[in-house]
Amino acid sequence: MKAVVLAAGKGTRIRPLSETVPKPMLPVGDRPLAAHAVDAAIDAGADEIVLVVGYEADPVREFFGSERGGVPVSYAVQSEQNGTADAVNVARSHLEGPFAVLNGDNLYDPAAIERLFEQRPAVCAIEVDDPASYGVLSTDDGTVSRIVEKPTEPSTNLANAGAYAFPAKAVEWLDVSASERGEHEITDVLARVIEEFAVTPVTLERWMDVGRPWELLEANELKLDELDRRVDGDVSGSAHLEGNVVVESGATVKPGAVIEGPVLIRSGATVGPNAYVRGATLLGEDVSVGNAVEIKNSVLLAGTSVSHLSYVGDSVLGRNVNFGAGTTVANLRHDDADVKYTVKGDRISTGRRKFGVVVGDGVKTGINSSLTPGLRLENEATTDPGEVVERDR
Ligand code: TTP
């Protein structure tokens, strides 16, 4: 069965991180976000992956190429993000026979994707506490009888988890009309499939939809924890590594560094001397974490430097960021309330008591900058020496 993986979205809610790298290429554990869905489909027996790309497609093509794990990879281009059904529709010429559709920004339980493929037609479902904000599935006699988007009175707590194994016939139903929000939605295709076929609900144990920056942190917490300890890089005899720590070949850990997993240190990265890195943390390629720097539960993208006397907690730093000496991130409010963050102009709760900052590519902070919880710095922003930065810029 072919698997269509949707990776054409603009990732507006995760900005500024998706400004130059499309969201599906942001790192989660040891690979880009979209590679988790692709690999789950391959492990479940997909015989071809069709990636739907659009926004910032080049890095996606470069990473996946024409084959992954022995399975051919092809591409369909969605030039405008007109919705998930539209995205599958642009891949139509690649499809014959039954086909699967997965979201490139979701982390699925791989065993469930296997069951999805075996039990087709099928849809993945997850039990949630707040079904009213999802597509809610009703079941009857073990098959899905209905899907209702964001119902005010949900009939079940089974949410649509955005993974489908469709029968061949569904290709004829991709051309659905636009929904109220003006998008052509895959759930309308599913509704038609439910009318004509017995669709099995495949329940997921866990599932994550990565839409906002703190969800990237949470995705990394999950996936870094699954890595096995491996030390291929150059680690000083006086460094202390505890738990699941991966030091890739070409990475260096200098004397006096203390690293508590889960931590992944990618090739070209340097830690120490005398640095403290606590999980779950991902230090991307060529990242530099220097003397007397503490990093905790954070993702630092490639080429970023936090070189002297700094604290970074529960934060995501983009590519080629430079934190001046003594830059400190606050990740907890005095009133203990959940930290808020600006998503598409609205200040919303992250649902996290501890959340630091989200910093775009190329940001430079002046020495001794203090950054407050939930702060968002756009690409190339700067701060002054000694500045207390409380407002996004
Ligand atoms: P969304 O999460 O709805 O969109 P997005 O990823 O662009 O993020 P944001 O809302 O922050 O802007 O998309 C769900 C999945 O479908 C995701 O993997 C992207 C993909 N998608 C497309 O490929 N084409 C589309 O037209 C849309 C709307 C989504």
Side-chain angles (χ1 to χ4, degrees), residues 6-13 23 78 81-84 87 103-105 183:
L6 306 183
K10 287 195 172 130
T12 49
R13 290 165 300 150
K23 183 174 71 175
Q78 186 193 29
Q81 281 68 55
N82 288 328
T84 43
N103 283 333
D105 59 354
E183 289 187 9

Side-chain angles (χ1 to χ4, degrees), residues 330-350:
N331 60 342
L332 180 67
R333 294 164 51 116
H334 282 322
D335 63 5
D336 251 359
D338 288 345
V339 175
K340 291 189 171 142
Y341 179 80
T342 309
V343 174
K344 295 175 95 170
D346 292 327
R347 201 78 188 146
I348 62 165
S349 172
T350 60

Side-chain angles (χ1 to χ4, degrees), residues 148 207 252 266 287:
V148 184
W207 168 71
T252 307
R266 304 226 66 165
V287 158

